[in-house]
Amino acid sequence: MQAIPDARQQSFDEIYGPPENLLEIEVKSPQTHGIGRGMYTDYEIVCRTNIPAFKLKYSVVRRRYSDFEYFRDILERESSRVTIPPLPGKVFTNRFSDDVIEHRREGLQKFIQIVVGHPLLQKDSKVLVGFVQDPNWDKNSW
């Protein structure tokens, strides 16, 4: 019969501290700006992480749907080994109604959670961290 090695008692921090690879990302707080044809909605992206690929442990940025479209296009160009998920579809009627905005927010959150959680994109993407964490991210610089 083999002896069972002595089990080391875990510390409080080991039991209840953040996991080794913490990554929480959330799309929330949609805000509609402008009037008439100049109206648009942007969304807050909140990121909490301890993954080394990210520059900040906590960040909050705002992005428009068109920013997500550019971001997705850039990801597709730079990463041939990863299938980039689709964005929620374009809406042409009632696009500023609460239901449409909430449906889009849910779709954007699902998209960003899949993309940000992908290990190859975390490691290889040049655009990922900036999009999620840099408040001055500019789609025209890509």
Side-chain angles (χ1 to χ4, degrees):
M1 188 183 273
Q2 278 187 318
I4 298 174
D6 290 337
R8 182 180 70 81
Q9 187 71 27
Q10 287 185 308
S11 72
F12 182 83
D13 285 340
E14 288 173 326
I15 297 170
Y16 296 105
E20 217 172 277
N21 289 314
L22 171 70
L23 178 58
E24 295 175 350
I25 191 145
E26 182 175 17
V27 177
K28 62 186 215 173
S29 304
Q31 292 179 353
T32 300
H33 308 272
I35 56 170
R37 294 187 57 105
M39 284 180 73
Y40 66 92
T41 302
D42 65 11
Y43 303 83
E44 187 175 82
I45 300 175
V46 179
C47 180
R48 289 175 207 74
T49 186
N50 61 7
I51 296 174
F54 292 86
K55 293 178 172 79
L56 304 170
K57 291 186 182 297
Y58 178 81
S59 61
V60 178
V61 297
R62 295 201 72 83
R63 298 286 182 255
R64 296 172 63 161
Y65 180 82
S66 61
D67 295 330
F68 278 88
E69 289 179 311
Y70 276 98
F71 172 58
R72 186 181 184 284
D73 289 345
I74 295 164
L75 284 175
E76 278 196 320
R77 285 195 308 266
E78 77 174 12
S79 53
S80 59
R81 299 184 306 165
V82 178
T83 301
I84 307 300
L87 289 169
K90 277 269 193 194
V91 176
F92 297 100
T93 58
N94 288 336
R95 65 185 181 136
F96 297 108
S97 75
D98 290 346
D99 289 342
V100 169
I101 289 171
E102 177 57 18
H103 181 71
R104 180 173 274 182
R105 185 206 63 75
E106 290 170 357
L108 293 174
Q109 177 157 321
K110 183 177 178 184
F111 166 81
I112 201 75
Q113 286 175 331
I114 292 168
V115 167
V116 170
H118 197 289
L120 287 177
L121 294 177
Q122 287 176 7
K123 186 169 119 334
D124 297 337
S125 175
K126 293 173 178 47
V127 70
L128 176 74
V129 172
F131 182 80
V132 171
Q133 295 194 316
D134 184 357
N136 300 314
W137 183 83
D138 180 11
K139 61 188 172 200
N140 297 318
S141 65
W142 297 94

